[in-house]
Amino acid sequence: MDETAVLERLRRLEIETPSWGYGNSGTRFHVYPWPGAARDVHERIEDAALVHRLTGCAPSVALHIPWDAVDDYGALRHFAEDRGVRIGAINPNLFGDDGYRLGSLCNPDPDVRAQALRHCRECVAIAEQTGSTLISLWLADGTNYPGQDDLRGRHERLVAALEELYADLPDDMRLLVEYKFFEPGFYSTDLPDWGTAALMCRRLGPKAQVLVDTGHHPQGTNVEQIVALLLSEDLLGGFHLNNRKYADDDLIVGSIDPFELFRIMREIARSESPERIALMIDQSHNIEGKIDAMIQSVANIQTAYAKALLVDDERLAATQRAGDVLGAHRVVMDAYETDVRPLLARLREQIGVDPDPVEAFRRGGHAERLAQERGVASVESAYERA
Ligand code: LRH
Ligand code: MN
């Protein structure tokens, strides 16, 4: 693809940031409060809007309910749109309630399952009021010990609940089903892998697609192969992009394994309709500033996508057809080893943002201003709350 075509594709790239990535978050050991971190949904949306102003390619923010609950979602929609961003995926929270000890939609207790389904339906209504077309569903549901519950029974409860939810899903809305191989379930997880999520989506119908969180796989998993398969089956709805070294670490996208991110973005670059794939970031920042870390993730995704678009498809197809194993690999590595910083600087100039958005944030004194305006909000960790 020539530079003009690559720039055109990069201009169409839209990345969604997570509201929960702007607030203070930590581990079960401690939450280190950050000066100026967003304290409520309005400040989280303002920070998402700042990321969009500085990058030009993050026009929507995902909400998590009830973390971002308000009385008037129509007003929240206008609050966001007045600041240049739209409300993106609505994430139901089926783990933050005492009743969910033994699960939510898979819970043995029908009353708890009904409560969980009611919450999902509330989130569909919130999506309608905020103009969102995506319900992004992750279940913490699982068990910790063999025998704790009937594994088939839990699966059948999940199917029944999602069929009920799907039946009420408006036509213009999509249900994204997120899987995760463990945690907080430490023996079984009811939606543990892409296969289970794909089976579920096939069973539900075309409005249900799989969400791939890059941190939700066992070590050594070939995530781009899962992406390629889901794309060819038209089952890929979107991503929660982040990075990890060990488990679900939710680190800055591309910060640990930028080559994996490139390989994943390569599959997206080759898809017939990349704009149908919801590219969302899902990360949290335990020891670093939230906003410039988010901008770094957006920039790392742009970098990986630019390199992916530069792969010489013709030469690659020829070397693959010829069975030239190393030749084919070298075609891909040529693109990966291309320094795309000048190209991205040209893109950013074209769309009217600074060639280095992270530097622009820092030079702009935003961190100091926000620390001044908002101060430091202290938060307790799980252990400290105990
Ligand atoms: C679970 C998860 C899920 C969210 C949460 C914030 O690990 O990836 O997407 O609901 O993080
Ligand atoms: Mn996620």
Side-chain angles (χ1 to χ4, degrees), residues 344-367:
L344 291 174
R346 283 195 288 286
L347 167 79
R348 291 170 180 144
E349 200 181 329
Q350 286 176 1
I351 62 177
V353 301
D354 191 282
D356 184 341
V358 173
E359 213 33 58
F361 172 84
R362 292 178 165 215
R363 222 183 21 252
H366 295 284

Side-chain angles (χ1 to χ4, degrees), residues 284-296:
S284 51
H285 313 103
N286 302 336
I287 57 174
E288 73 271 37
K290 327 301 176 178
I291 299 174
D292 42 355
M294 199 71 79
I295 296 171
Q296 187 65 64

